[in-house]
Amino acid sequence: MSSNQAITQQVNTILEALRYQRITTAVLAPGSRSTPVALLLAQLEHQGRLDLYVDVDERSAGFFALGIVKQTKRPVLLVCTSGTAAANFYPAVCEAKSAHLPLVILTTDRPPELTNIGAPQALDQIHFYGQQVKHFCELPLASASSAELEYLNFNVQRMVVAAKTRPCGPVHFNLPLRKPLLPQLSPAKAIYPKIEFETAALKLAAFDLKQLQQTFANKRGLVIAGPEMQPPQHAALLKWARASAWPILADSLSQLRGNASENVITGYELFMGIPEVREKLKPEVIIRSGGTLVSAQLAAWLKELQIPLYYLDPDQEVNDHTKTATHVLPVEEANFFAALSPVTTPADWLHKWTGVQNKTLKSLTAYDFTQKFCEPAIAVALAQQLPARANLFVSNSMPIRDIERFFLTAREKIKIACNRGANGIDGIISSALGMSAQVQDKQTANFLLIGDLAFFHDMNGLMMAVRYQLQLRIIVVNNNGGGIFSFLPQAQVADFEELFGTAQNLEIAKVAALYHATYQKIESFTALQQVLATPVHSLEIIEVVTKRSENVAQHQQLQQAVKDGILRMLINENQA
């Protein structure tokens, strides 16, 4: 067997094994050493057996792949050449690890005789991502041995299964390749079989359920629905909460905001800091699900409560940075609430929560954003104007915090996503575009809310919108620098502006022109509402100019307006 035949058979075996385990999308950052993988991926795409995206910027490619994973809930293949190309995947790999996303990384490499001797584009790629991947596998050099190919097929499938088994996470294959690198482009035949790996959902025993039933009965109970809960989990939770009259505190990334149920509470970030409210709404027991909470206010309240907290943890990792979980149950949310019978609850418990929630919404609605246009108004406008079935990707830093505070009600089926694993601001544009690339329903509009610094970090990612004609409306909150730092103690230091404010003076209109995007500058609440209400047809960049110097005071004024309204309500209740 010639070297070309051997390398072709090897790479085809790898790609078929990946397809066996439902990998039908690949993102390629091209280079010389990955030539056989690239050409055979392209062949699969021409045959209609795989979707291939090519992104020349490795950092962007990694985050673009994460966006696809977030949208499809399936593993995605991410490929690059040797050397520093693999290093540029690292931020996305860290995010995949922290966010439990099944990313499958295939780095190609120099053969052993070209490592550690000064050959160009050669790094030590063994265990390159360290503890940031679930598993690493050094694949063998191309061989004519059928036993080696059979094992290759098995091991690749086994690694993909590991990536998508809870806790999900990235896995890394390193593939050394010898020249010549041109494979034979002939129809590939699957030689080795698909392997069926069964994974069972975790369930509670009947004894556990009976004991929990007694624990929750006649208690002022509360459900906290954290990030990354999936819509299939919602039905059982909502049914149980309605029947038990328990409030559900819905994180902005729980996919529960917009649900019409009165049990869903969204305004807690605005009223949880009021001591009188904390005392009025103090629960006796909590059930918590989902990932790390966006709300720092809610996390602090949990520490203050010191009550029984049952943490549903199907990943069995106990990722609770608040350290408030008193009982950890390794069970899927849907299984838990479907199996648990409703409980009786004090009659006025849910009413207390809905009363404060309604007053919060009323105070927010009464605030005149037409006269006081500010950054919170952007989140309010998005909640009011986003069409049903929209996707909203949100950047970390200030945007996700404003969404948590002020995106309180919305139409159903709006999906809110964010890279909240490692909470970085790199790769945000690429992730949003990766999600939009996989939206099957053409009626679904795609939006991105991002600050000017995060926008600056990932401008290269905009090229994927041009290359694949992706539709995305980007709302850039331009306060000319790092807005979140003004809320932190270092805002008072003498060198604040140089070290933390970091104004870039971006001319966003020119960036839009470079990437052939339509551009519009917005300077009023009404204008923002109007543009959000129009259909999305292409890559659009909407610049909303705000003043960083005024942002903290504007947030405080709005918070005070809500607080005043709630305190008046409590005074009236006491007088009655």
Side-chain angles (χ1 to χ4, degrees), residues 268-394:
Y268 52 84
E269 179 72 1
L270 289 172
F271 60 69
M272 199 62 72
I274 305 172
E276 295 88 343
V277 172
R278 288 204 303 272
E279 184 61 31
K280 176 186 176 73
L281 301 180
K282 186 175 181 179
E284 295 173 294
V285 64
I286 291 174
I287 302 172
R288 180 184 159 189
S289 65
T292 300
L293 304 170
V294 172
S295 172
Q297 189 81 252
L298 180 54
W301 188 55
L302 292 180
K303 288 187 174 185
E304 177 187 306
L305 286 173
Q306 296 185 335
I307 61 173
L309 189 151
Y310 290 77
Y311 179 34
L312 308 186
D313 183 26
D315 289 328
Q316 302 184 70
E317 288 192 324
V318 199
N319 281 333
D320 174 25
H321 81 285
T322 68
K323 298 180 285 294
T324 55
T326 59
H327 302 74
V328 179
L329 307 178
V331 62
E332 295 273 1
E333 293 90 342
N335 291 337
F336 178 82
F337 288 108
L340 193 66
S341 298
V343 295
T344 54
T345 305
D348 63 342
W349 175 235
L350 180 59
H351 178 74
K352 288 181 178 180
W353 277 92
T354 56
V356 176
Q357 162 90 346
N358 292 338
K359 189 62 182 179
T360 301
L361 295 177
K362 187 175 180 180
S363 298
L364 194 61
T365 304
Y367 199 82
D368 189 0
F369 290 112
T370 61
Q371 299 298 318
K372 303 171 185 177
F373 189 46
C374 54
E375 291 188 19
I378 300 168
V380 173
L382 285 165
Q384 293 174 349
Q385 299 297 329
L386 283 185
R389 295 184 296 180
N391 286 333
L392 173 63
F393 204 97
V394 185

Side-chain angles (χ1 to χ4, degrees), residues 470-485:
L470 302 177
Q471 298 180 1
L472 180 68
R473 177 172 289 158
I474 303 176
I475 299 99
V476 183
V477 184
N478 188 1
N479 56 29
N480 200 21
I484 194 168
F485 295 108

